[in-house]
Amino acid sequence: MEAKAHLKYARISPRKVKIVCDLIRGKDTKTARAILLQTPKAASELLLKLLKSAVANAENNHDMDPDNLYVSETFANPGPTLKRIRPQARGRAFRINKRTSHITVVVAEKD
């Protein structure tokens, strides 16, 4: 049995989130929480909140033991890109892509 938590349309590039996702994948939830608390990345705050939500979903919705959980999957997919224009010299325009991401954390019980 597994429990999930999703965050959609997060205003951070999926490339930046994947770096932090790789740090916690496969770890038990207490170790993953400690890693996220000590990681100086913007994505670590989002993933910490998402991890807490996934653990709460497992405990309340699926009757799992929170001490026996580990992060089985975590990934970030690209969401829609917000396209913005910045003026440049000689009347030109330069496009700025503000990327969004859909982040998922899945926790499961150890066998």
Short mmCIF file of all heavy atoms in Angstrom, two decimals, residues 35-73:
data_model
loop_
_atom_site.label_atom_id
_atom_site.label_comp_id
_atom_site.label_asym_id
_atom_site.label_seq_id
_atom_site.Cartn_x
_atom_site.Cartn_y
_atom_site.Cartn_z
N ILE A 35 17.16 15.42 6.02
CA ILE A 35 17.91 15.88 4.84
C ILE A 35 17.30 17.16 4.30
O ILE A 35 18.00 18.12 3.99
CB ILE A 35 17.94 14.78 3.76
CG1 ILE A 35 18.83 13.61 4.20
CG2 ILE A 35 18.42 15.34 2.42
CD1 ILE A 35 18.73 12.40 3.32
N LEU A 36 15.97 17.21 4.21
CA LEU A 36 15.30 18.38 3.66
C LEU A 36 15.47 19.61 4.57
O LEU A 36 15.57 20.73 4.08
CB LEU A 36 13.82 18.09 3.44
CG LEU A 36 13.51 17.11 2.32
CD1 LEU A 36 12.03 16.79 2.29
CD2 LEU A 36 13.96 17.65 0.97
N LEU A 37 15.50 19.38 5.87
CA LEU A 37 15.68 20.50 6.79
C LEU A 37 17.08 21.12 6.67
O LEU A 37 17.26 22.31 6.95
CB LEU A 37 15.43 20.05 8.23
CG LEU A 37 13.97 19.85 8.61
CD1 LEU A 37 13.86 19.19 9.98
CD2 LEU A 37 13.23 21.17 8.61
N GLN A 38 18.06 20.32 6.26
CA GLN A 38 19.44 20.79 6.18
C GLN A 38 19.87 21.19 4.77
O GLN A 38 21.00 21.62 4.57
CB GLN A 38 20.40 19.72 6.71
CG GLN A 38 20.19 19.38 8.16
CD GLN A 38 20.44 20.59 9.06
OE1 GLN A 38 21.39 21.32 8.86
NE2 GLN A 38 19.58 20.79 10.03
N THR A 39 18.99 21.05 3.80
CA THR A 39 19.35 21.35 2.41
C THR A 39 19.03 22.81 2.09
O THR A 39 17.88 23.22 2.21
CB THR A 39 18.58 20.43 1.44
OG1 THR A 39 18.85 19.07 1.80
CG2 THR A 39 19.01 20.65 0.01
N PRO A 40 20.01 23.59 1.66
CA PRO A 40 19.77 25.02 1.40
C PRO A 40 19.28 25.28 -0.03
O PRO A 40 19.88 26.03 -0.79
CB PRO A 40 21.15 25.64 1.61
CG PRO A 40 22.09 24.56 1.21
CD PRO A 40 21.43 23.25 1.59
N LYS A 41 18.18 24.66 -0.41
CA LYS A 41 17.59 24.86 -1.72
C LYS A 41 16.14 25.31 -1.54
O LYS A 41 15.48 24.95 -0.57
CB LYS A 41 17.58 23.55 -2.52
CG LYS A 41 18.94 23.01 -2.86
CD LYS A 41 19.39 23.62 -4.14
CE LYS A 41 20.67 22.98 -4.63
NZ LYS A 41 21.19 23.69 -5.78
N ALA A 42 15.63 26.07 -2.49
CA ALA A 42 14.26 26.55 -2.41
C ALA A 42 13.27 25.39 -2.50
O ALA A 42 12.20 25.41 -1.89
CB ALA A 42 13.99 27.56 -3.52
N ALA A 43 13.62 24.35 -3.26
CA ALA A 43 12.73 23.22 -3.44
C ALA A 43 12.59 22.37 -2.18
O ALA A 43 11.62 21.64 -2.03
CB ALA A 43 13.22 22.35 -4.58
N SER A 44 13.53 22.48 -1.25
CA SER A 44 13.47 21.63 -0.06
C SER A 44 12.28 22.01 0.83
O SER A 44 11.69 21.13 1.46
CB SER A 44 14.78 21.71 0.72
OG SER A 44 15.02 23.02 1.16
N GLU A 45 11.90 23.29 0.88
CA GLU A 45 10.72 23.69 1.65
C GLU A 45 9.46 23.08 1.07
O GLU A 45 8.60 22.58 1.80
CB GLU A 45 10.59 25.21 1.67
CG GLU A 45 11.57 25.91 2.56
CD GLU A 45 11.32 27.41 2.60
OE1 GLU A 45 10.13 27.81 2.60
OE2 GLU A 45 12.30 28.15 2.64
N LEU A 46 9.33 23.13 -0.25
CA LEU A 46 8.15 22.55 -0.91
C LEU A 46 8.09 21.05 -0.69
O LEU A 46 7.03 20.49 -0.40
CB LEU A 46 8.20 22.86 -2.41
CG LEU A 46 8.19 24.33 -2.82
CD1 LEU A 46 8.42 24.46 -4.31
CD2 LEU A 46 6.88 24.96 -2.42
N LEU A 47 9.23 20.37 -0.83
CA LEU A 47 9.25 18.92 -0.67
C LEU A 47 9.03 18.50 0.78
O LEU A 47 8.42 17.45 1.03
CB LEU A 47 10.57 18.35 -1.19
CG LEU A 47 10.62 18.16 -2.70
CD1 LEU A 47 12.02 17.87 -3.16
CD2 LEU A 47 9.69 17.05 -3.12
N LEU A 48 9.48 19.31 1.73
CA LEU A 48 9.24 19.00 3.14
C LEU A 48 7.75 19.04 3.45
O LEU A 48 7.21 18.15 4.10
CB LEU A 48 10.01 19.98 4.03
CG LEU A 48 9.87 19.76 5.53
CD1 LEU A 48 10.43 18.40 5.93
CD2 LEU A 48 10.57 20.86 6.29
N LYS A 49 7.09 20.06 2.97
CA LYS A 49 5.64 20.18 3.18
C LYS A 49 4.89 19.04 2.50
O LYS A 49 3.95 18.47 3.05
CB LYS A 49 5.17 21.53 2.64
CG LYS A 49 3.79 21.91 3.05
CD LYS A 49 3.51 23.36 2.68
CE LYS A 49 2.11 23.75 3.11
NZ LYS A 49 1.80 25.15 2.79
N LEU A 50 5.35 18.67 1.32
CA LEU A 50 4.73 17.58 0.57
C LEU A 50 4.97 16.24 1.25
O LEU A 50 4.07 15.39 1.29
CB LEU A 50 5.32 17.57 -0.83
CG LEU A 50 4.46 17.11 -1.98
CD1 LEU A 50 3.16 17.86 -2.02
CD2 LEU A 50 5.19 17.30 -3.28
N LEU A 51 6.16 16.04 1.82
CA LEU A 51 6.47 14.81 2.54
C LEU A 51 5.59 14.67 3.78
O LEU A 51 5.05 13.59 4.05
CB LEU A 51 7.95 14.78 2.92
CG LEU A 51 8.43 13.58 3.72
CD1 LEU A 51 8.30 12.30 2.89
CD2 LEU A 51 9.85 13.78 4.18
N LYS A 52 5.42 15.76 4.52
CA LYS A 52 4.55 15.73 5.69
C LYS A 52 3.12 15.39 5.30
O LYS A 52 2.42 14.65 5.99
CB LYS A 52 4.59 17.08 6.41
CG LYS A 52 5.88 17.35 7.14
CD LYS A 52 5.83 18.72 7.79
CE LYS A 52 7.13 19.06 8.50
NZ LYS A 52 7.11 20.42 9.08
N SER A 53 2.67 15.93 4.18
CA SER A 53 1.32 15.66 3.69
C SER A 53 1.16 14.20 3.29
O SER A 53 0.14 13.57 3.59
CB SER A 53 1.01 16.56 2.50
OG SER A 53 -0.26 16.28 1.98
N ALA A 54 2.16 13.63 2.63
CA ALA A 54 2.10 12.23 2.22
C ALA A 54 2.07 11.30 3.43
O ALA A 54 1.34 10.31 3.45
CB ALA A 54 3.28 11.88 1.31
N VAL A 55 2.86 11.63 4.47
CA VAL A 55 2.87 10.82 5.69
C VAL A 55 1.51 10.92 6.40
O VAL A 55 0.98 9.92 6.88
CB VAL A 55 4.02 11.26 6.62
CG1 VAL A 55 3.90 10.61 7.99
CG2 VAL A 55 5.36 10.92 5.99
N ALA A 56 0.94 12.11 6.43
CA ALA A 56 -0.38 12.28 7.04
C ALA A 56 -1.45 11.54 6.26
O ALA A 56 -2.36 10.93 6.86
CB ALA A 56 -0.72 13.77 7.12
N ASN A 57 -1.36 11.54 4.93
CA ASN A 57 -2.31 10.78 4.11
C ASN A 57 -2.19 9.29 4.40
O ASN A 57 -3.20 8.58 4.49
CB ASN A 57 -2.06 11.03 2.62
CG ASN A 57 -2.49 12.40 2.19
OD1 ASN A 57 -3.26 13.07 2.87
ND2 ASN A 57 -1.97 12.85 1.06
N ALA A 58 -0.96 8.81 4.54
CA ALA A 58 -0.74 7.38 4.81
C ALA A 58 -1.33 7.00 6.17
O ALA A 58 -1.96 5.96 6.31
CB ALA A 58 0.75 7.07 4.78
N GLU A 59 -1.12 7.87 7.16
CA GLU A 59 -1.57 7.57 8.52
C GLU A 59 -3.08 7.66 8.65
O GLU A 59 -3.73 6.77 9.22
CB GLU A 59 -0.90 8.55 9.49
CG GLU A 59 -1.19 8.26 10.94
CD GLU A 59 -0.45 9.23 11.85
OE1 GLU A 59 0.27 10.11 11.37
OE2 GLU A 59 -0.62 9.09 13.07
N ASN A 60 -3.68 8.70 8.10
CA ASN A 60 -5.11 8.94 8.30
C ASN A 60 -6.01 8.24 7.29
O ASN A 60 -7.10 7.79 7.65
CB ASN A 60 -5.39 10.45 8.26
CG ASN A 60 -4.72 11.17 9.40
OD1 ASN A 60 -4.78 10.72 10.53
ND2 ASN A 60 -4.07 12.27 9.10
N ASN A 61 -5.58 8.15 6.04
CA ASN A 61 -6.45 7.58 5.00
C ASN A 61 -6.22 6.09 4.77
O ASN A 61 -7.13 5.40 4.33
CB ASN A 61 -6.25 8.33 3.68
CG ASN A 61 -6.59 9.80 3.80
OD1 ASN A 61 -7.25 10.21 4.74
ND2 ASN A 61 -6.13 10.58 2.84
N HIS A 62 -4.99 5.60 5.03
CA HIS A 62 -4.67 4.21 4.71
C HIS A 62 -4.28 3.39 5.94
O HIS A 62 -3.86 2.24 5.80
CB HIS A 62 -3.55 4.16 3.67
CG HIS A 62 -3.90 4.87 2.39
ND1 HIS A 62 -4.84 4.40 1.52
CD2 HIS A 62 -3.43 6.03 1.86
CE1 HIS A 62 -4.94 5.23 0.48
NE2 HIS A 62 -4.09 6.24 0.68
N ASP A 63 -4.35 3.98 7.13
CA ASP A 63 -4.04 3.29 8.38
C ASP A 63 -2.65 2.64 8.38
O ASP A 63 -2.48 1.52 8.83
CB ASP A 63 -5.11 2.24 8.72
CG ASP A 63 -6.47 2.87 8.95
OD1 ASP A 63 -6.49 3.97 9.54
OD2 ASP A 63 -7.48 2.29 8.55
N MET A 64 -1.67 3.36 7.89
CA MET A 64 -0.28 2.86 7.89
C MET A 64 0.42 3.39 9.14
O MET A 64 0.05 4.41 9.70
CB MET A 64 0.47 3.35 6.66
CG MET A 64 -0.02 2.82 5.35
SD MET A 64 1.05 3.44 4.05
CE MET A 64 0.16 2.98 2.62
N ASP A 65 1.47 2.67 9.54
CA ASP A 65 2.28 3.09 10.67
C ASP A 65 3.28 4.15 10.20
O ASP A 65 4.12 3.86 9.33
CB ASP A 65 3.02 1.88 11.26
CG ASP A 65 3.88 2.24 12.45
OD1 ASP A 65 3.58 3.26 13.10
OD2 ASP A 65 4.83 1.50 12.74
N PRO A 66 3.24 5.38 10.74
CA PRO A 66 4.14 6.43 10.24
C PRO A 66 5.62 6.17 10.52
O PRO A 66 6.48 6.72 9.84
CB PRO A 66 3.67 7.69 10.98
CG PRO A 66 2.86 7.22 12.11
CD PRO A 66 2.32 5.87 11.76
N ASP A 67 5.93 5.29 11.50
CA ASP A 67 7.33 4.98 11.79
C ASP A 67 7.91 3.97 10.82
O ASP A 67 9.12 3.74 10.79
CB ASP A 67 7.45 4.42 13.22
CG ASP A 67 7.04 5.46 14.25
OD1 ASP A 67 7.26 6.66 13.99
OD2 ASP A 67 6.49 5.07 15.29
N ASN A 68 7.05 3.35 10.02
CA ASN A 68 7.48 2.27 9.13
C ASN A 68 7.41 2.69 7.65
O ASN A 68 7.33 1.85 6.77
CB ASN A 68 6.59 1.04 9.37
CG ASN A 68 7.26 -0.24 8.95
OD1 ASN A 68 8.47 -0.29 8.79
ND2 ASN A 68 6.48 -1.27 8.74
N LEU A 69 7.44 4.00 7.38
CA LEU A 69 7.28 4.49 6.01
C LEU A 69 8.62 4.92 5.42
O LEU A 69 9.53 5.33 6.13
CB LEU A 69 6.34 5.70 6.00
CG LEU A 69 4.90 5.45 6.39
CD1 LEU A 69 4.15 6.77 6.46
CD2 LEU A 69 4.22 4.53 5.41
N TYR A 70 8.71 4.82 4.10
CA TYR A 70 9.86 5.32 3.37
C TYR A 70 9.39 5.98 2.07
O TYR A 70 8.26 5.75 1.62
CB TYR A 70 10.87 4.21 3.07
CG TYR A 70 10.47 3.27 1.97
CD1 TYR A 70 11.01 3.39 0.69
CD2 TYR A 70 9.54 2.25 2.19
CE1 TYR A 70 10.63 2.53 -0.33
CE2 TYR A 70 9.17 1.38 1.18
CZ TYR A 70 9.72 1.53 -0.07
OH TYR A 70 9.34 0.69 -1.08
N VAL A 71 10.23 6.81 1.48
CA VAL A 71 9.89 7.52 0.25
C VAL A 71 10.15 6.57 -0.91
O VAL A 71 11.29 6.35 -1.31
CB VAL A 71 10.73 8.81 0.11
CG1 VAL A 71 10.36 9.55 -1.16
CG2 VAL A 71 10.56 9.69 1.32
N SER A 72 9.08 6.00 -1.46
CA SER A 72 9.27 5.04 -2.55
C SER A 72 9.48 5.73 -3.90
O SER A 72 10.25 5.27 -4.72
CB SER A 72 8.09 4.08 -2.62
OG SER A 72 6.90 4.79 -2.88
N GLU A 73 8.78 6.84 -4.11
CA GLU A 73 8.93 7.58 -5.37
C GLU A 73 8.86 9.07 -5.08
O GLU A 73 8.12 9.50 -4.18
CB GLU A 73 7.78 7.28 -6.33
CG GLU A 73 7.79 5.94 -7.00
CD GLU A 73 6.61 5.84 -7.95
OE1 GLU A 73 6.65 6.52 -9.00
OE2 GLU A 73 5.66 5.12 -7.65
#
